[in-house]
Amino acid sequence: MLEQLTRQFRAALARARRVERRELREFRSWAETTDHIVHLSVLVFVPLLIGLVTAVSNVVPTLSFLLFPPLASGTYTLFVDPRGKYSEPGRFVGGLTIGAMCGLGALWVSNTVLNGPQGQFQVAAGAAALAALATGLITWPLDIEEPSAYSTALLTLLVQPSQRLPFVGSIFLASSLVAMVFVVWRDRFYDRRATVLYKSTTGDDHVLVPMRGDDAGATAMLAARLAAAHDAGKVVLLDIVDDVEAAETERALLSGPRGQRDVPNAAEVASEDVSEAVRDEVDRLETQAWEVKTRVGVPCQVVVAAGDEPAAATTLRAADDANCDLIAAPYESEHGALTPYLRQLFRGDTDVLVHRSRNGRTRWKRVLVPVRRASDVAHNMVDFAIRLAGASGRVAVATCIGDNGDRRRAESMLMNLVEPFDAPIETRGARTDIQSFLVDTGSEYDLVIIGASQDRSAASRFIAPPTFERLQDVDTDVAIMDRSH
C-alpha cells in the first residue's frame, strides 16, 4: 500500500513539474514580445520608484508630496517608450526641473508685478498662464520639451514660500534618481533583450537533418550554416531504414575508414554481400557529412535508425537521443499540403524548420522574413535570417497590412521586432496580401522564412489555408518555422 502511494505521489509530482515547465515556457514566450516587456517593466518600476521617493520624502520633511504626480507620469513616459522622443534622461530631468523653476518665476512675477492673490491655495490665473508659457518658451529652444514639465510648473504655484527652493531641488534629485534607474534598465536589459531574454535566439545549435528526398543535401547545408552561428554547433544526419539488418550494415560501414567499402569489417558485417543500394546510401551520407565539415566547419555525425514505429516518431526520438534542439527537414508535399510526416513533426516537442529548395542552393545571402506580429517565433525567424545571411548579407523583415491596415502600428511593430538585433535589417510594409507580396518580391531573395501558423484555429485554417500552403508560385527557397510549443 505504501509503495503504491509512493508511486502515485511521484507520478503527481512529475505531472506538476511538467505543467510548471510548460507554464514557464509559455510565460517566457509571451514575455519575449517587446510590448509585453515594456508593460511588465512599467508595472514593476513605476510603483517601486514612486514608493522609494515617497519613503525618502517621509524621512526628509522638506520634500513635498506635490512632486509625485509629475514624477509618476514622467516615469511612465520613460519606461513605456524607452526609445521614444520623451525617453531621454536629460530631457526628463531638465524638463521637470525647468518646469519647476518656471513656476517659481511666474509666481514671483505674479506676486510682485501683477499683485496676485496671496492665499495658501489661491493661484492667480495670470500666474498659471505665465508658468505654462514660460515652460513652453524655454523647453522648446533647448529641445527638452517634457509633458510633465507643465505639471511641475503649475504645482509649484501651490508650494508654500518656505519650501519653494527645496521643492525645485527635490524635483531635480528625484528625477535624477529615476533617470539613473531607467538608464541602467534600458542599457543592461531592454537594449540587450535579444540575448538576455529571448530564449528563441540562444538555442537551435544542434540540428538534426532527416536525409529524405532529393533535396536533403541542400537542407543539410542550411542546417550547418544555422549551427555555425554558435561555437557548440553540430549537425546530425539521420537515415531511417525499415530493415534492422540493413541498419546494422550501414552502421558498420559508416564506422570504418572512408574509401574502404569493398571489404567491410568482418567483425561488424556479416559475410553476406552488401547490396549496392546500401553502399550508395552510405556513400551519400558520408559525402554530405564531409561537405558539411569542410565547407562550413561544423562537426557532423551520421545516425542510422530502424524500427517499426512511424518515421516522424523515429525522427523525434533520434533528435532527443542526439540532444538536438532543432529538426531541419526537407520539404514534402501531398496534394498541395504538407505530408503527414511533416505535420507529425510539427506536433512534437522539438523546434522544426521545413526547407523547400528550388535549385539546390547552399548559400543564402538575401533573406526575407514576412511576419504577422511580434512573437518568439518571429524573433526566431529573424535570428535564423541573420545567421544565414552573415555579415555581408541582406535581411529584410516585412509585414502586409492590406488596403485598410494601420501603417503606423505596423511600422512600430517591425521596429520593436528588429531593434534588439545587432545587424542591419531592412523593414518593409506592404499594402497588399501576403501571397501577392511574396510572388512579386520573393525572387529578389535567396530564401523566404515564414511561420507555420500553428496558433491559428481550425476554423481560421478552413477559411484561409496557411501561407506556406499557397507558395507554389514563389520562385525561391522557402523555410517554414515552427516552435515546439
Side-chain angles (χ1 to χ4, degrees):
M1 181 66 178
L2 180 60
E3 183 178 354
Q4 182 180 2
L5 290 175
T6 302
R7 286 198 302 268
Q8 292 176 350
F9 174 76
R10 290 177 178 174
L13 185 60
R15 286 194 297 271
R17 287 175 177 172
R18 286 195 298 270
V19 171
E20 181 183 6
R21 287 195 297 268
R22 183 177 67 250
E23 295 297 331
L24 181 60
R25 182 174 62 181
E26 291 179 354
F27 173 78
R28 184 156 189 165
S29 300
W30 176 85
E32 279 198 19
T33 305
T34 297
D35 287 343
H36 297 160
I37 294 173
V38 167
H39 284 90
L40 281 175
S41 299
V42 167
L43 290 176
V44 172
F45 286 99
V46 173
L48 285 179
L49 288 171
I50 296 303
L52 175 62
V53 176
T54 303
V56 174
S57 71
N58 292 332
V59 177
V60 183
T62 56
L63 292 181
S64 172
F65 191 79
L66 292 175
L67 70 89
F68 296 119
L71 189 66
S73 63
T75 304
Y76 173 83
T77 302
L78 281 179
F79 283 93
V80 80
D81 189 9
R83 287 298 177 187
K85 175 182 178 181
Y86 298 111
S87 293
E88 290 299 325
R91 182 191 301 271
F92 172 70
V93 176
L96 292 181
T97 305
I98 288 179
M101 295 175 65
C102 289
L104 283 182
L107 194 60
W108 179 85
V109 171
S110 175
N111 292 337
T112 59
V113 178
L114 302 179
N115 295 320
Q118 302 295 322
Q120 183 177 0
F121 292 105
Q122 291 182 327
V123 177
L130 186 59
L133 177 62
T135 301
L137 289 176
I138 295 177
T139 58
W140 181 18
L142 293 177
D143 196 26
I144 53 174
E145 293 175 287
E146 167 65 39
S148 297
Y150 292 90
S151 298
T152 58
L154 296 176
L155 288 173
T156 305
L157 304 179
L158 298 176
V159 178
Q160 297 180 10
S162 62
Q163 293 184 339
R164 287 169 185 170
L165 289 179
F167 178 77
V168 175
S170 64
I171 283 285
F172 174 77
L173 294 176
S175 60
S176 298
L177 173 62
V178 171
M180 286 189 293
V181 174
F182 170 75
V183 168
V184 172
W185 171 83
R186 187 178 64 179
D187 294 347
R188 299 294 180 180
F189 178 79
Y190 180 79
D191 286 346
R192 300 183 182 182
R193 59 193 184 278
T195 55
V196 174
L197 185 62
Y198 291 0
K199 186 177 184 297
S200 59
T201 66
T202 58
D204 300 319
D205 52 359
H206 293 181
V207 189
L208 179 80
V209 182
M211 298 298 288
R212 296 164 58 97
D214 298 333
D215 296 323
T219 303
M221 294 301 294
L222 183 141
R225 299 195 185 283
L226 290 176
H230 295 162
D231 294 337
K234 75 171 183 178
V235 174
V236 178
L237 307 181
L238 173 65
D239 185 35
I240 302 176
V241 297
D242 298 330
D243 191 333
V244 176
E245 293 184 359
E248 293 177 352
T249 302
E250 280 194 29
R251 295 191 189 103
L253 291 173
L254 289 166
S255 65
R258 192 181 181 201
Q260 300 181 11
R261 297 292 172 252
D262 293 334
V263 185
N265 191 320
E268 297 172 332
V269 183
S271 59
E272 303 171 354
D273 292 337
V274 178
S275 68
E276 193 66 27
V278 172
R279 294 182 187 276
D280 291 343
E281 182 64 17
V282 169
D283 286 338
R284 181 175 79 104
L285 294 171
E286 284 200 325
T287 299
Q288 189 59 61
W290 180 81
E291 288 188 4
V292 168
K293 293 176 183 177
T294 56
R295 294 179 59 182
V296 186
V298 175
C300 184
Q301 67 182 92
V302 179
V303 173
V304 181
D308 54 0
E309 60 184 350
T314 302
T315 302
L316 292 169
R317 178 169 49 82
D320 185 59
D321 293 342
N323 194 30
C324 292
D325 45 13
L326 175 67
I327 298 174
Y331 181 82
E332 302 175 9
S333 63
E334 187 177 88
H335 307 299
L338 296 182
T339 60
Y341 168 77
L342 294 179
R343 294 186 179 278
Q344 290 174 21
L345 289 184
F346 282 163
R347 290 192 287 268
D349 295 330
T350 305
D351 294 353
V352 178
L353 185 75
V354 175
H355 172 229
R356 188 197 72 180
S357 178
R358 272 300 194 208
N359 53 12
R361 184 190 305 273
T362 58
R363 291 192 68 87
W364 299 266
K365 303 300 290 184
R366 300 170 300 168
V367 186
L368 174 65
V369 183
V371 298
R372 289 188 295 123
R373 58 185 177 85
S375 65
D376 61 322
V377 178
H379 298 150
N380 216 146
M381 294 191 297
V382 174
D383 177 57
F384 280 6
I386 295 172
R387 295 193 204 182
L388 293 171
S392 60
R394 168 190 170 196
V395 175
V397 181
T399 188
C400 295
I401 59 178
D403 295 332
N404 301 317
D406 189 339
R407 179 176 291 275
R408 186 182 298 274
R409 180 174 295 180
E411 291 175 350
S412 176
M413 181 271 292
L414 290 176
M415 187 58 62
N416 287 335
L417 177 61
V418 305
E419 185 184 49
F421 295 94
D422 186 18
I425 303 176
E426 174 191 0
T427 58
R428 304 182 61 172
R431 286 197 177 277
T432 183
D433 62 276
I434 181 65
Q435 187 173 3
S436 300
F437 174 74
L438 292 180
V439 170
D440 294 339
T441 63
S443 59
E444 302 174 9
Y445 298 89
D446 302 329
L447 177 69
V448 175
I449 305 179
I450 61 177
S453 302
Q454 292 293 92
D455 56 345
R456 294 177 56 189
S457 66
S460 174
R461 288 171 171 271
F462 177 77
I463 295 173
T467 303
F468 64 80
E469 294 184 358
R470 296 175 283 157
L471 295 183
Q472 299 303 319
D473 297 330
V474 178
D475 189 21
T476 190
D477 285 15
V478 175
I480 306 167
M481 182 68 218
D482 176 65
R483 297 280 287 173
S484 60
H485 57 275

